[in-house]
Amino acid sequence: KAGAAQSGAKGSGASGSEATSSAHAGTAGTGTTDAAAAHAGAPHSETATSQPTASQPATSPVATSTDAPAASRSTALPNITPGGLAGLLDMIAANPDGIDLADLASALSFEVDDLFPLVDAGVMLGVLTVDAGHVTLTAAGRSWESADILEAKRVFAGLALKHAPLVKTIDHALKQSKSQELHGELFLDLLRGRHTDEEARQQFHIAVSWGRYGELFDYDADDDTLTLDEANKG
């Protein structure tokens, strides 16, 4: 990893609240980003809060109108890969008592803001907790981080089905389909009801990435076909 290491002292006089996110298909999801918690413990001279962008949907929870479909009402998936999150857990695991986000960013030679999507995903999936800018692995996080590759996929699949609404929605729909196949455009059209076209496509492809890693389902872009993974049948 290249770049000069960023140094930062833990901010004083502020307390961060752990963000949690848990949603299930058919019920309204309530998303709370942990960006504020990260800022409370990590100084950033340019801005006091992280501004939501299309590339960081985790900082902009989806509207929670009770009139909206379940998938639309739930928290958007952070734009990260399972492998990237696993790498972050490896870094944090080297510190049994956790680590300040400022110190973690410095160790990676990145800005604190760059960690937010990964940290938000970790909090959403229940593998990380954040308190006053100090991030720590949960029991689930330790289980995933210490597992071999096959067990890690199994652990991640369970976490994604429990905490990532769009992943659970796609998995459930495929299992309800007679052929266990569905057109991806179906979910894109549903997502466009609450997102721009670009955001809908991003959310869909994040869900596919997470589903593939957990061996839940796969997607053939040429045929626009989602299929249930063999390991997830029966």
Side-chain angles (χ1 to χ4, degrees):
K1 300 182 179 68
Q6 173 194 356
S7 63
K10 183 176 179 183
S12 62
S15 60
S17 57
E18 171 188 346
T20 57
S21 176
S22 176
H24 300 275
T27 60
T30 302
T32 305
T33 183
D34 78 285
H39 275 294
H44 195 276
S45 59
E46 290 78 13
T47 179
T49 57
S50 177
Q51 296 300 314
T53 65
S55 63
Q56 294 182 346
T59 60
S60 301
V62 179
T64 56
S65 168
T66 55
D67 294 329
S72 297
R73 286 187 261 117
S74 305
T75 305
L77 302 179
N79 187 17
I80 61 95
T81 64
L85 181 55
L88 187 72
L89 264 60
D90 287 341
M91 291 286 295
I92 299 171
N95 302 271
D97 296 325
I99 184 172
D100 287 349
L101 285 173
D103 294 334
L104 182 58
S106 179
L108 291 167
S109 299
F110 275 85
E111 299 290 332
V112 172
D113 285 6
D114 297 323
L115 299 178
F116 288 165
L118 286 163
V119 173
D120 284 343
V123 171
M124 169 187 277
L125 293 170
V127 296
L128 294 177
T129 59
V130 179
D131 183 19
H134 192 81
V135 62
T136 309
L137 295 184
T138 65
R142 290 190 293 272
S143 294
W144 184 26
E145 189 276 333
S146 62
D148 60 33
I149 183 61
L150 293 179
E151 178 64 11
K153 286 176 176 288
R154 187 193 68 78
V155 171
F156 181 84
L159 294 171
L161 289 175
K162 183 177 181 181
H163 299 295
L166 184 54
V167 174
K168 181 173 182 177
T169 295
I170 294 174
D171 177 81
H172 179 75
L174 284 169
K175 288 177 178 176
Q176 296 303 307
S177 171
K178 182 177 180 180
S179 63
Q180 296 186 326
E181 295 183 359
L182 288 170
H183 287 292
E185 200 67 34
L186 166 63
F187 297 98
L188 284 170
D189 282 347
L190 292 171
L191 288 165
R192 288 185 187 106
R194 287 286 177 177
H195 298 276
T196 66
D197 182 72
E198 180 182 357
E199 291 168 344
R201 291 183 181 280
Q202 183 185 68
Q203 286 293 291
F204 176 75
H205 289 298
I206 293 170
V208 167
S209 171
W210 292 20
R212 279 175 173 160
Y213 178 87
E215 296 184 346
L216 295 171
F217 48 81
D218 202 354
Y219 176 65
D220 186 332
D222 293 334
D223 297 332
D224 184 38
T225 304
L226 285 158
T227 54
L228 204 63
D229 192 284
E230 288 295 328
N232 193 26
K233 292 181 178 179

